[in-house]
Amino acid sequence: MTRWPYPLQPPFFHSENHPAMNFGAIGAIMGHELTHAFDNNGRHYDSTGRVKNWWGAKARKAFLGRARCLIHFYKRYREGGRQIPALATLSENIADVGGVALAYDAMNSFIADASPATRKHWPALPDGMSASKAFFVSYAQTWCTQPPPPAQAAALMNYDEHAPPRMRVNGPLANNPAFHEAFQCPKGSKMNPLEQ
């Protein structure tokens, strides 16, 4: 039997983290991968993996409208003076936005369903943080990275289907009402734009 060589470990999961932090890290990654089944590529496959147009006309129209909005939204981001390729990164952007939303909902359900006796044994939240704030900070920390040199960053934008790491944080969080509420982002600010 082949074993995966990298067990769950920080920064994605740690048994000494409050569950909100683990949901923000590994939970958002799991949600990201699940969302791929319904993104602009995955939606073309049915439950058996066959290419099949299984969505109804109303669902397709709604999806395409929302996808256009997300393309428009991500076009506002620039890296190294260049607009990120919002159409080329659409699948990953959908999965990032969906992954954060799914993990946040899962965290809230998990916390609500836990008994007081269970919650009593959870590690404490970081000082001054609610579960919501800890979730979003944990998510953002998974994308902490040393930026590549400008020439390499520009080259990556020519072929990488992912947005640059900074946009993988700012994009999903700026599209998330729970983030706006947790951090009291004023309407019309960079992280709570009027158009989402």
Side-chain angles (χ1 to χ4, degrees):
M1 178 170 108
T2 304
R3 287 179 37 100
W4 187 48
Y6 305 106
L8 290 175
Q9 58 188 351
F12 304 108
F13 177 86
H14 198 292
S15 61
E16 294 177 17
N17 283 350
H18 186 277
M21 298 169 71
N22 289 329
F23 274 96
I26 194 65
I29 291 169
M30 290 175 176
H32 170 103
E33 298 306 333
L34 289 169
T35 302
H36 273 309
F38 303 97
D39 67 12
N40 55 314
N41 296 320
R43 72 181 187 91
H44 296 291
Y45 297 88
D46 70 10
S47 62
T48 64
R50 293 189 196 120
V51 176
K52 182 178 179 185
N53 188 4
W54 60 279
W55 287 18
K58 187 176 178 182
R60 273 194 308 276
K61 183 177 180 183
F63 174 85
L64 293 173
R66 289 183 176 125
R68 276 192 293 277
C69 288
L70 203 57
I71 291 167
H72 177 72
F73 180 84
Y74 273 82
K75 280 184 176 182
R76 74 181 71 189
Y77 290 124
R78 302 186 81 72
E79 183 75 17
R82 289 180 55 195
Q83 182 183 64
I84 69 158
L87 181 59
T89 59
L90 178 61
S91 175
E92 296 298 330
N93 297 339
I94 289 170
D96 285 343
V97 171
V100 169
L102 286 173
Y104 187 79
D105 288 347
M107 174 201 71
N108 283 328
S109 293
F110 181 81
I111 290 173
D113 292 345
S115 70
T118 299
R119 282 190 227 135
K120 184 173 79 171
H121 296 289
W122 288 350
L125 286 161
D127 288 341
M129 284 199 185
S130 63
S132 292
K133 283 185 176 181
F135 171 92
F136 292 118
V137 168
S138 184
Y139 171 73
Q141 286 177 330
T142 64
W143 293 109
C144 287
T145 182
Q146 187 69 20
Q152 185 181 357
L156 280 171
M157 290 212 320
N158 290 329
Y159 65 84
D160 192 351
E161 70 252 9
H162 300 87
R166 185 168 46 99
M167 284 64 166
R168 296 192 75 181
V169 175
N170 291 354
L173 300 188
N175 273 282
N176 193 300
F179 174 81
H180 308 153
E181 185 179 329
F183 287 93
Q184 297 296 295
C185 301
K187 191 71 175 165
S189 65
K190 184 176 182 178
M191 292 304 292
N192 186 3
L194 295 173
E195 290 183 34
Q196 295 179 31

